[in-house]
Amino acid sequence: AVKTIVTPYRRNWNGKAVKHGLELTTDKNSSTVQKWYVEGELRRERHESTGGFVLDESFLNGQLDGPYYERSSSIKQECFYRQGKPEGKWTQQYGDLLVTTEWHAGELHGAKTWRTLRGQVLQSAHYDRGRLVSWNGLPLLEALQSWADVRDIDPEVRRNLFDRFTTKSELLSTM
């Protein structure tokens, strides 16, 4: 059974009762949900469970806006949103894998790196306004050719892949 411990209200400018302040809810497993309201609008929500799960989100005008944090037994994320879109540096840990990603206005923009917890870089990519431009420090077409060279790919499939890729790259570079 869900039990709400506290739900604060206040009157807004026209006398209507609106949530304002911290609302605290618990369930039978001692998990808690904390919701912060300002004049009836949800601004922050935090979930915590006895099993170690944590989710902390910030909102503005009904959209994710501000810090975002999530931790469970298999994942840990520290992110930021602006007006519902990913923004800035994101850090995500999946077991022994650490992924850092840079975002701007909801698009991948900058470095994305996969590394071990000891700091060894496993893979890296670079994006420009949502477009992948390099992989492991090589221009994308060169990295794709290098990848294909060490694999036994059917010649026709290889030709079609590079024809499509080259055409698309040329189109994108003229935009």
Side-chain angles (χ1 to χ4, degrees), residues 22 26 28 37-38 53 66 69 71 74-75 83 91 105-106 108-109 113 123 146 171-172:
L22 173 62
T26 62
K28 65 181 177 183
Y37 290 90
V38 175
F53 175 77
Y69 177 81
R71 183 186 73 224
S74 60
I75 187 172
Q83 298 175 348
T91 304
L108 288 164
H109 186 72
T113 308
Q123 300 284 332
S146 176
L171 287 172
L172 289 172

Side-chain angles (χ1 to χ4, degrees), residues 39 93 105 112 151:
E39 297 293 329
Q93 181 182 337
K112 181 168 187 170
R151 285 162 182 78

Side-chain angles (χ1 to χ4, degrees), residues 58 60 63-67 79-88 90 103-106:
S58 300
L60 185 62
Q63 296 181 321
L64 285 168
D65 193 272
C79 313
F80 193 86
Y81 284 91
R82 181 170 289 134
Q83 298 175 348
K85 296 178 182 177
E87 183 67 36
W90 283 37
W103 294 85
H104 180 67

Side-chain angles (χ1 to χ4, degrees), residues 1 25-33 48-51:
T25 308
T26 62
D27 67 17
K28 65 181 177 183
N29 298 324
S30 298
S31 296
T32 61
V33 177
E48 287 187 66
S49 73
T50 53

Side-chain angles (χ1 to χ4, degrees), residues 59-173:
F59 298 91
L60 185 62
N61 299 323
Q63 296 181 321
L64 285 168
D65 193 272
Y68 176 98
Y69 177 81
E70 180 179 357
R71 183 186 73 224
S72 69
S73 61
S74 60
I75 187 172
K76 179 180 176 183
Q77 298 191 94
E78 294 182 32
C79 313
F80 193 86
Y81 284 91
R82 181 170 289 134
Q83 298 175 348
K85 296 178 182 177
E87 183 67 36
K89 183 177 179 179
W90 283 37
T91 304
Q92 299 166 300
Q93 181 182 337
Y94 307 95
D96 293 335
L97 177 66
L98 184 64
V99 181
T100 56
T101 310
E102 295 176 19
W103 294 85
H104 180 67
E107 293 184 321
L108 288 164
H109 186 72
K112 181 168 187 170
T113 308
W114 294 261
R115 53 179 100 232
T116 65
L117 293 180
R118 294 184 180 187
Q120 177 190 4
V121 175
L122 302 171
Q123 300 284 332
S124 65
H126 193 83
Y127 291 84
D128 183 16
R129 295 180 303 251
R131 209 176 104 229
L132 180 61
V133 294
S134 70
W135 187 262
N136 293 326
L138 296 174
L140 192 54
L141 184 56
E142 189 178 328
L144 183 59
Q145 288 171 332
S146 176
W147 172 82
D149 288 345
V150 297
R151 285 162 182 78
D152 187 25
I153 298 174
D154 178 69
E156 185 177 340
V157 171
R158 184 183 174 110
R159 189 173 41 256
N160 288 337
L161 174 66
F162 283 102
D163 285 349
R164 276 206 240 155
F165 183 83
T166 304
T167 303
K168 188 174 183 182
S169 293
E170 290 170 357
L171 287 172
L172 289 172
S173 66

